[in-house]
Amino acid sequence: MGFAVVDVETTGFAAGRDRIIEVAVVQADASGAVTDEWCTLVNPHRDLGAQHVHRITAREVLPAPTFDRIAGDLVARLTGRVLVAHNLTFDARFLHAELTNAGVPLPTGATEGVCTMTLAPRYLTTDRRNLAACCAAAGIPLTNAHSALHDARATAALLAHYLSAGDGNWAQLIATARARNWPFVPALDTPPVHRGAPGHPVARRPRREDAPAYRQSRRTSAYYRARHAPDSYVPAPAAEPVALPAGFRLDPGDRIAFTGQTEQPRELLQAHASAAGLITHPENVCRWTKVVVAADPDSLSAKARKARDYRIPIITEPVFAQLLDELRTPR
């Protein structure tokens, strides 16, 4: 036994309301040597939040397991080990919320452990305590930041750096963790789903005019299958967006909606739309909505799902900007 170094990527900052969308555990022995790695995307069945930060797309998480499908696999990797994270309070809050929601009763002290950020002043000569600054001060490479596995690897290297100092009550922490009585949760050995190669685009433009149109009823949607077939895990195929027809334009008086955490503030996008004569309130999606603007056209948000049901096009911010320019241009 030894340490379980954890990192999570989430839809936001509010544990319980926001959800984990990627989790990684790097196991290390008492000396800090890495002994195992595990990482998977998690399907939250909701919008993914700041995608320009974590760079995870809805199309990537659609075939991923829900948290309840990986709860046992995660618990097996945490049991008997000291929990470690950079900003442990943040990661621990989300682990506690997700495991509780999955029906896992956590033992006392389960989310206590080692915070490499809190310990930074003791072992590093840097005034900044974010992961990048701490890694730089310790001479540890950090690549692909805001990827759960890469951040967990970097945090594990920081832990090893701290352990090499030879001080601290590490042995007592390990003994306490080993004695902690975790509940038995069946590990389903759910196949992990990983994100794509770094640098691929977050959002896609609508499909070509000659591509087959997307059509999917509510009862056969990926969301419905995932929510109502808990006893069998079958990765669902990604849904295709509705294509913009040739010559598609927005006209003053058209009703539009926004979904997800766009790169530009939503208030600014709504102001541009209103100035062009478009209707942006109320913000719900109905059959009269002309188009939905999303950070990710594969969004899993309720608005995006309803748009697909109604065959309303879902477009990216750049496409929306282009349509606004055309709206301002006389026919």
Side-chain angles (χ1 to χ4, degrees), residues 1 22 32 60 69 136 142 146 177 183 198 203 212 221 259 292 314 324 330:
M1 292 296 182
E22 187 179 36
E60 289 174 315
R69 301 295 301 180
L142 174 61
H146 296 294
S221 69
T259 188
V292 173
I314 303 174
L324 276 184

Side-chain angles (χ1 to χ4, degrees), residues 279-297:
I279 299 173
T280 62
H281 294 283
E283 292 196 21
N284 63 303
V285 173
C286 68
R287 295 184 185 277
W288 297 277
T289 302
K290 185 75 171 287
V291 73
V292 173
V293 183
D296 183 343

Side-chain angles (χ1 to χ4, degrees), residues 152-226:
R153 286 171 176 167
T155 302
L158 270 180
L159 172 67
H161 181 79
Y162 297 173
L163 288 168
S164 67
D167 60 355
N169 60 338
W170 306 107
Q172 181 57 49
L173 288 172
I174 292 172
T176 301
R178 188 184 296 119
R180 190 167 289 128
N181 188 25
W182 281 80
F184 171 74
V185 184
L188 303 179
D189 294 325
T190 303
V193 173
H194 301 128
R195 62 169 74 195
H200 68 338
V202 166
R204 296 175 292 105
R205 290 181 178 271
R207 297 178 311 123
R208 303 186 317 274
E209 179 189 354
D210 60 349
Y214 162 79
R215 185 173 184 85
Q216 189 174 8
S217 71
R218 184 183 300 275
R219 286 191 63 84
T220 58
S221 69
Y223 175 75
Y224 184 92
R225 290 198 304 274

Side-chain angles (χ1 to χ4, degrees), residues 112-152:
E112 297 174 358
V114 173
C115 178
T116 54
M117 183 177 74
T118 301
L119 291 178
R122 180 173 178 177
Y123 296 101
L124 302 172
T125 56
T126 176
D127 293 331
R128 302 180 63 193
R129 296 197 295 171
N130 61 62
L131 184 58
C134 289
C135 286
I140 296 168
L142 174 61
T143 59
N144 202 14
H146 296 294
S147 157
L149 182 57
H150 287 79
D151 286 356

